Amino acid sequence: MKKIFLSLGLALSTLNHSALAFYTDSTPQLEIPEIGSGVGFIDQQKEKFIGEKVYREVHRQLPILLDPWLEDQFSQVFSQILGQTQLGQPVGLVVVKDPQINAFAVPGGLFALNTGMVTSAKNMDEVVGVMAHEIAHVTQRHYSRSQEAFKGQGLLALAGILVGAAVAAKGDGDIGGAVMMGTQAAMMDRQLNYSRNQEREADRIGMQFMSGAGYNPQAMADFFETMNRSRSFVSYMPDFWLTHPLTSERMSEARLRANQFPKVAYSRSQAEFDVIKWYAAVLTNQSNERELQILVNQNKYAGMLALATFYLQQGDYDKAQQQLDKAKQLNAEHTLFVLLQTELYLQQNKVDAAYNTVIAKQRIAPESRALSLKLAKVYVHQNQPQQAEKLANRFIQKNDRDIVAWQILQQAANLETTNPMRTVNVLRNRAEVEYWSGAEDSAIKSLLHAQRLSKDNQSMSAKIESRLKTMQSERQMKI
């Protein structure tokens, strides 16, 4: 049975940046998007559809971390790298709650990175190196080029991405999921040179993106070495590991190439990256109270915020407040501090204190999605739905796939008890949450229900009908 699953993995993982995973009899049963059989060069419109389709599938099958502050940190970096490219508006970036080292990219500009990649990195530049490498795969349209060169075999690559990533996320220690950047298992020997060339091309162009955005290209070579060391933790090493492009030769080439760029300092202070790293570690259960306490004893700000987060998750509000009080003495203006303190007040039903904490910071930085959505959450608690909707809609207009913003709109709509369209609006917003979370059938059912309830309101009925047709059409289309 194991050999059957390995053969399936070989057949599916045809893209360089798809996830590599190893299968056993205990492998969970997974579903993948239906892949069409057409052959030909995929245009950009088709690629955007692919990106959005896989975005929904990723949310449905993988443990996506919906944390606006953490998303903001990586989105800022993501935007800086994209600024070096000619890509249009990308589908977006998602953070996967998974301790495995991995990142992957999908045509249309969908990028995913695991929290394990962040907690394994030494600095933000190493994370940027992975992002730049994956962005290079998309800018060079490796998916489309593979499809053209190998007569449709590349169409299976999206399935490989999801199967590999989902097995790694859901598997246990027996599965031995060594998942790393740019992984590939070639279907046939004749694809190997092409695939390795793609990886080298992504390394080279990715380093150019890094340098242009002010990041240190040496960090990409550094992280290759980190990934290479991770092999020692693999419990089952299949034969096709030898075909993996991350060879000693490639690592040496990456270091030589990085040495050709002007020397630059690493981009962020270590203290700031440590805040991101340890916060991510707590959210994904990759840390414990003891090691966080050691950081606090060393007077590390990152440790204080991370331990406060740990206690907040445990529901120990007194200990969480103690850590925030310590952090406040070092920096009371840090956005994550403000968000944690606001959330702590909300969980204790101290709504006024929560409002006073977040409003001052949000007024200074209204562009911050994390602060604005936290303020919108406070408005929901204050029974001010219109204020909450105003804030959430600002970010929906920028990105109609913003699940957290749609959740707030759903909650706010439910508070409007005097609105005759209250139930209809709740259903419409719930449909968007369901749709972008990958529950396409449930979303369509919610809209059908809303359509029945709005039949006497011509304007509303027309809006629902339009959105319903789009959802139904996208659900039926094949990649």
Side-chain angles (χ1 to χ4, degrees):
M1 179 63 74
K2 181 180 289 185
K3 289 183 178 179
I4 293 174
F5 277 119
L6 287 174
S7 297
L8 178 62
L10 277 168
L12 293 178
S13 301
T14 60
L15 254 190
N16 306 309
H17 47 288
S18 63
L20 176 66
F22 313 136
Y23 303 83
T24 69
D25 293 337
S26 60
T27 300
Q29 295 299 310
L30 303 168
E31 297 179 19
I32 58 176
E34 185 175 4
I35 309 296
S37 60
V39 178
F41 197 74
I42 302 176
D43 59 27
Q44 292 183 359
Q45 184 176 2
K46 180 69 171 180
E47 287 186 342
K48 184 175 185 296
F49 167 75
I50 290 172
E52 290 186 343
K53 181 71 173 178
V54 179
Y55 177 93
R56 297 193 294 275
E57 287 296 321
V58 164
H59 275 81
R60 183 171 72 88
Q61 298 194 45
L62 301 184
I64 300 302
L65 186 58
L66 296 177
D67 184 275
W69 182 78
L70 202 59
E71 291 170 341
D72 283 355
Q73 305 313 300
F74 299 125
S75 292
Q76 290 171 11
V77 176
F78 182 50
S79 297
Q80 291 172 352
I81 298 299
L82 284 179
Q84 304 299 310
T85 76
Q86 299 298 316
L87 287 177
Q89 183 65 30
V91 171
L93 180 147
V94 296
V95 181
V96 184
K97 187 178 180 181
D98 188 340
Q100 306 277 1
I101 298 175
N102 189 30
F104 61 83
V106 177
L110 169 63
F111 301 89
L113 58 96
N114 283 9
T115 51
M117 191 192 72
V118 178
T119 56
S120 299
K122 295 189 294 292
N123 49 60
M124 181 58 81
D125 291 68
E126 289 192 353
V127 178
V128 173
V130 178
M131 287 188 185
H133 175 97
E134 295 302 331
I135 288 172
H137 274 307
V138 173
T139 63
Q140 301 312 110
R141 307 188 77 213
H142 284 162
Y143 175 84
S144 300
R145 286 162 57 186
S146 294
Q147 193 183 69
E148 184 72 11
F150 306 122
K151 301 186 183 303
Q153 294 170 7
L155 286 169
L156 296 173
L158 293 181
I161 288 173
L162 291 182
V163 170
V167 169
K170 297 180 181 179
D172 55 30
D174 294 333
I175 294 181
V179 190
M180 24 184 84
M181 177 182 69
T183 58
Q184 172 197 323
M187 284 177 62
M188 301 168 64
D189 288 342
R190 66 189 178 87
Q191 293 189 18
L192 285 176
N193 289 335
Y194 187 87
S195 300
R196 286 170 177 161
N197 287 338
Q198 285 184 338
E199 286 297 281
R200 291 189 180 97
E201 185 175 49
D203 294 346
R204 174 176 57 82
I205 294 176
M207 285 185 183
Q208 292 175 1
F209 292 159
M210 291 181 72
S211 180
Y215 292 93
N216 191 339
Q218 294 285 349
M220 184 184 290
D222 293 343
F223 202 69
F224 279 152
E225 296 171 4
T226 297
M227 290 190 297
N228 189 49
R229 288 193 298 270
S230 74
R231 297 184 185 192
S232 61
F233 299 105
V234 178
S235 60
Y236 175 72
M237 187 74 75
D239 291 339
F240 63 78
W241 182 270
L242 296 176
T243 68
H244 188 280
L246 188 59
T247 61
S248 297
E249 179 185 11
R250 181 179 163 210
M251 287 190 290
S252 297
E253 287 179 2
R255 182 65 69 187
L256 290 172
R257 188 175 293 115
N259 289 338
Q260 296 173 5
F261 287 91
K263 294 184 181 298
V264 295
Y266 287 105
S267 59
R268 286 195 181 202
S269 72
Q270 190 61 43
E272 181 62 18
F273 178 72
D274 284 346
V275 171
I276 297 171
K277 180 174 181 173
W278 285 104
Y279 180 64
V282 172
L283 293 182
T284 55
N285 302 318
Q286 295 181 62
S287 62
N288 56 56
E289 183 178 9
R290 182 176 177 275
E291 64 180 345
L292 294 174
Q293 188 62 61
I294 291 174
L295 290 174
V296 172
N297 293 341
Q298 296 172 349
N299 205 38
K300 300 291 187 180
Y301 188 71
M304 297 171 190
L305 294 184
L307 190 53
T309 305
F310 177 86
Y311 288 135
L312 190 56
Q313 290 182 327
Q314 299 292 318
D316 194 334
Y317 301 140
D318 289 339
K319 287 186 177 180
Q321 189 62 66
Q322 289 173 12
Q323 295 305 318
L324 289 178
D325 288 342
K326 292 178 183 179
K328 186 176 182 179
Q329 299 303 313
L330 297 179
N331 184 359
E333 298 301 318
H334 196 285
T335 298
L336 183 57
F337 169 83
V338 173
L339 294 169
L340 291 173
Q341 184 66 78
T342 302
E343 185 61 29
L344 179 57
Y345 284 143
L346 284 179
Q347 292 196 22
Q348 297 176 92
N349 201 31
K350 299 177 180 179
V351 181
D352 289 342
Y355 173 79
N356 291 331
T357 299
V358 71
I359 188 65
K361 184 69 175 179
Q362 193 273 340
R363 284 173 175 167
I364 296 173
E367 73 283 355
S368 169
R369 173 173 167 265
L371 287 169
S372 293
L373 293 182
K374 184 67 72 174
L375 178 58
K377 184 177 180 179
V378 172
Y379 282 137
V380 169
H381 280 259
Q382 290 181 328
N383 198 24
Q384 297 189 58
Q386 293 181 348
Q387 294 289 349
E389 290 170 353
K390 182 179 179 181
L391 283 173
N393 275 319
R394 271 178 43 201
F395 293 92
I396 291 294
Q397 290 171 3
K398 295 179 180 179
N399 174 20
D400 62 1
R401 296 172 292 276
D402 193 328
I403 295 174
V404 176
W406 283 117
Q407 289 172 336
I408 289 172
L409 286 177
Q410 180 184 346
Q411 295 166 1
N414 193 47
L415 295 175
E416 297 182 320
T417 55
T418 61
N419 187 339
M421 289 286 104
R422 173 194 179 188
T423 304
V424 172
N425 287 332
V426 170
L427 288 168
R428 290 176 64 205
N429 293 326
R430 186 178 76 181
E432 297 296 343
V433 173
E434 293 169 332
Y435 188 68
W436 294 114
S437 297
E440 295 175 345
D441 289 343
S442 296
I444 290 170
K445 290 178 181 178
S446 293
L447 279 188
L448 287 171
H449 189 189
Q451 187 180 49
R452 288 192 294 270
L453 294 177
S454 66
K455 60 183 180 180
D456 295 331
N457 187 316
Q458 186 174 359
S459 176
M460 178 64 75
S461 183
K463 290 180 181 179
I464 295 173
E465 177 67 20
S466 176
R467 184 62 178 131
L468 185 59
K469 286 182 177 179
T470 298
M471 283 189 184
Q472 291 172 329
S473 174
E474 291 178 352
R475 182 191 178 284
Q476 294 172 358
M477 289 180 65
K478 296 181 180 180
I479 294 177

